[in-house]
């Protein structure tokens, strides 16, 4: 396995097992964006600015994390997407696992 699974809860294990490479890149950017500004609004254009990632990948990641019960999100149209962390323990575990990955 790519991640040390002993320290993670079941939600994080499931999410990490199905992440694509592109979704993992977006997840790193989302974590950076949410931790730098303490804001809850993320614009997909900022996440996809390098051209290698499409907006559908961002939406797919948000849906995956919402289905796991880790975040909730709501589109605000051109103003971005409002993201809220529902399960802070799982979010922290996910951040730590991705930090070890890099």
């Amino acid at each position: 396995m790519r991640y040390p699974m002993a320290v993670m809860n079941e939600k994080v294990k499931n999410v990490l097992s199905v992440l694509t490479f592109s979704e993992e890149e977006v997840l790193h950017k989302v974590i950076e964006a949410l931790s730098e500004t303490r804001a809850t609004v993320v614009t997909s254009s900022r996440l996809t600015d390098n051209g290698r990632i499409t907006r559908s990948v961002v939406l797919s990641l948000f849906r995956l994390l919402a289905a796991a019960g880790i975040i909730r999100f709501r589109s605000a149209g051109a103003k971005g997407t409002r993201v809220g962390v529902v399960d802070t323990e799982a979010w922290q575990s996910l951040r730590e696992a991705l930090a070890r990955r890099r």
Side-chain angles (χ1 to χ4, degrees):
M1 294 261 160
R2 298 183 332 184
Y3 302 98
M5 295 294 180
V7 296
M8 291 181 269
N9 65 23
E10 199 64 32
K11 288 180 186 180
V12 176
K13 288 180 190 178
N14 292 337
V15 167
L16 292 176
S17 68
V18 297
L19 274 181
T20 65
F21 180 77
S22 298
E23 289 171 341
E24 188 173 329
E25 284 186 23
V26 172
L27 185 54
H28 284 289
K29 291 182 180 184
V30 169
I31 288 172
E32 289 173 11
L34 290 178
S35 64
E36 284 178 4
T37 61
R38 292 283 184 202
T40 59
V41 176
V42 177
T43 57
S44 58
S45 62
R46 287 185 189 158
L47 299 174
T48 62
D49 59 359
N50 62 7
R52 295 184 345 189
I53 299 169
T54 62
R55 292 181 179 165
S56 63
V57 173
V58 175
L59 183 58
S60 173
L61 173 68
F62 286 161
R63 285 182 181 158
L64 175 69
L65 294 173
I70 298 173
I71 68 163
R72 63 180 170 184
F73 71 99
R74 183 174 179 104
S75 175
K79 295 179 183 177
T81 301
R82 188 168 301 278
V83 179
V85 177
V86 176
D87 188 348
T88 55
E89 180 181 321
W91 181 254
Q92 185 63 31
S93 180
L94 187 61
R95 288 178 59 185
E96 291 169 2
L98 289 174
R100 282 191 297 269
R101 174 74 175 135
R102 278 200 158 171

